Amino acid sequence: MNIHGKDIKIFTANSNPKVAREIAGQLGLPLGKSTVTSFADGEISVSIEETVRGSDVFVVQSTCGPVNNNLMELLIMIDAFKRASAGRITAVMPYYGYARQDRKAKARDPISAKLCADLISAAGADRVLTMDLHAAQIQGFFNIPVDHLLGVPILAPYFIEMTKDMDPEELVVVSPDLGSVTRARKFAERLGAPMAIVDKRRPRPNVCEVMNIIGEVKGKRAFLVDDMVDTAGSICNAAQALMDFGATEVYACATHGVLSGPALERIKASCIKEMVLLDTIPEKEGAKEARITMLPVAPVFAEAIGRIYEDKPVSPLFV
């Protein structure tokens, strides 16, 4: 691949090297040589061990936990590439941390998603490639191009195969809250199934109370669709509410498996038959015991990187 008179190079820091290797493999490229470690006092040390002068550099790094370490690794790597005269630097962030802090929910709140966008731009990134931002308007926080991939085109085929012999009228796609309605609608269109919505309120962070189900779920297999699963309280409560309202089975899927704190235990103890996640965040130990299936994002990211490099549109990946 060399159509610009410059080469393409894929590098990774420490948050998700497996996905970076798979992306490079899909493109038929070796992973770039670099070392990202820490000094004794915790400061991050980055060493780029090959020339990147004039190269189209893609840095793969999810800013998942430990969020601040992974964010600093990304920023320092971008700075290193900029100072090494890379032709163009793209931050490939399968998972964008701090995305839930996208507005002032109460007085004197920070808007941390905007601060992170400013830091990435200031470090020297020319472009960002990410997937399923918690709030799509975060794209507007950047003054550089943002390619926003979607998880539904990866998740939906898995369930289409699962339900191919079922009557679509026996299925229902469920949004666990009002914020995920658009995502659930696209998923429902692919399955050819009707949609329902869980009406809930959140009295404080990571705590939710289900109020009602909008739509018909009685006697149906329900498929919950969300962008992320953090402590799993919301999705497990929603699944139980669906069963209480007469659903026969509940499956769940999400793009990002943050799976903090008691998440795995909650999923294991829940009525969810199977939860399907994408590997934007590395698989947690014990995930299989919690009936979690992981699907790879590398093919989609590799296709997007190839299109960016060749100046082709990324929009066909949304179909």
Side-chain angles (χ1 to χ4, degrees):
M1 295 178 74
N2 193 337
I3 64 170
H4 293 306
K6 60 185 180 184
D7 53 356
I8 177 172
K9 296 196 174 187
I10 312 293
F11 287 86
T12 184
N14 292 322
S15 74
N16 208 338
K18 175 177 174 286
V19 166
R21 283 193 297 271
E22 289 173 356
I23 290 171
Q26 291 274 333
L27 293 167
L29 299 168
L31 201 57
K33 296 175 183 174
S34 63
T35 304
V36 182
T37 57
S38 296
F39 292 110
D41 64 353
E43 290 181 8
I44 291 161
S45 168
V46 169
S47 178
I48 309 301
E49 295 159 1
E50 61 182 85
T51 181
V52 295
R53 185 174 295 272
S55 297
D56 208 345
V57 171
F58 293 83
V59 191
V60 181
Q61 177 81 335
S62 287
T63 49
C64 51
V67 179
N68 299 327
N69 258 34
N70 287 332
L71 178 60
M72 282 304 299
E73 285 184 5
L74 175 63
L75 298 175
I76 293 169
M77 282 195 87
I78 291 170
D79 183 71
F81 289 125
K82 181 180 69 172
R83 295 176 188 279
S85 303
R88 179 172 60 178
I89 305 166
T90 301
V92 181
M93 305 175 69
Y95 171 71
Y96 184 90
Y98 284 106
R100 284 171 283 184
Q101 299 183 45
D102 63 307
R103 67 195 185 285
K104 291 184 70 169
K106 61 182 188 297
R108 295 174 296 281
D109 270 1
I111 304 180
S112 306
K114 166 62 173 165
L115 174 60
C116 290
D118 289 342
L119 290 170
I120 290 164
S121 298
D126 298 297
R127 192 179 201 97
V128 170
L129 174 62
T130 188
M131 178 173 275
D132 269 349
L133 291 166
H134 186 66
Q137 63 266 25
I138 291 171
Q139 296 171 82
F141 292 176
F142 288 88
N143 293 320
I144 56 177
V146 177
D147 291 298
H148 185 215
L149 302 178
L150 304 176
V152 166
I154 307 174
L155 291 164
Y158 182 88
F159 289 99
I160 290 170
E161 178 64 25
M162 178 193 292
T163 59
K164 63 183 178 182
D165 298 324
M166 300 178 190
D167 181 354
E169 289 303 311
E170 295 176 359
L171 313 175
V172 61
V173 174
V174 184
S175 171
D177 53 33
L178 295 175
S180 291
V181 168
T182 302
R183 183 178 297 104
R185 185 180 295 119
K186 289 177 181 176
F187 196 96
E189 287 170 359
R190 286 172 176 264
L191 258 66
M195 197 180 89
I197 303 167
V198 176
D199 178 26
K200 71 179 183 184
R201 67 184 180 92
R202 194 180 289 278
R204 58 185 186 277
N206 294 126
V207 176
C208 84
E209 297 174 8
V210 173
M211 309 297 288
N212 198 10
I213 306 291
I214 303 167
E216 184 56 54
V217 300
K218 189 172 182 179
K220 298 189 177 188
R221 284 187 177 86
F223 299 89
L224 280 161
V225 184
D226 209 348
D227 66 319
M228 70 169 67
V229 178
D230 188 355
T231 60
S234 295
I235 206 155
C236 291
N237 287 347
Q240 187 57 54
L242 290 170
M243 295 297 287
D244 293 344
F245 275 76
T248 57
E249 292 179 338
V250 179
Y251 295 82
C253 65
T255 303
H256 310 298
V258 181
L259 303 179
S260 306
L264 289 175
E265 290 304 316
R266 282 176 174 171
I267 295 166
K268 201 181 295 187
S270 75
C271 59
I272 296 170
K273 286 204 69 174
E274 182 182 12
M275 179 171 287
V276 181
L277 303 172
L278 305 185
D279 62 355
T280 57
I281 297 172
E283 182 175 347
K284 297 287 193 295
E285 187 177 346
K288 287 182 174 59
E289 289 76 11
R291 304 183 299 283
I292 292 173
T293 300
M294 304 292 290
L295 301 181
V297 295
V300 172
F301 274 94
E303 176 72 12
I305 288 169
R307 286 178 171 274
I308 291 167
Y309 177 66
E310 296 171 359
D311 293 329
K312 292 180 178 178
V314 176
S315 54
L317 298 179
F318 304 152
V319 176

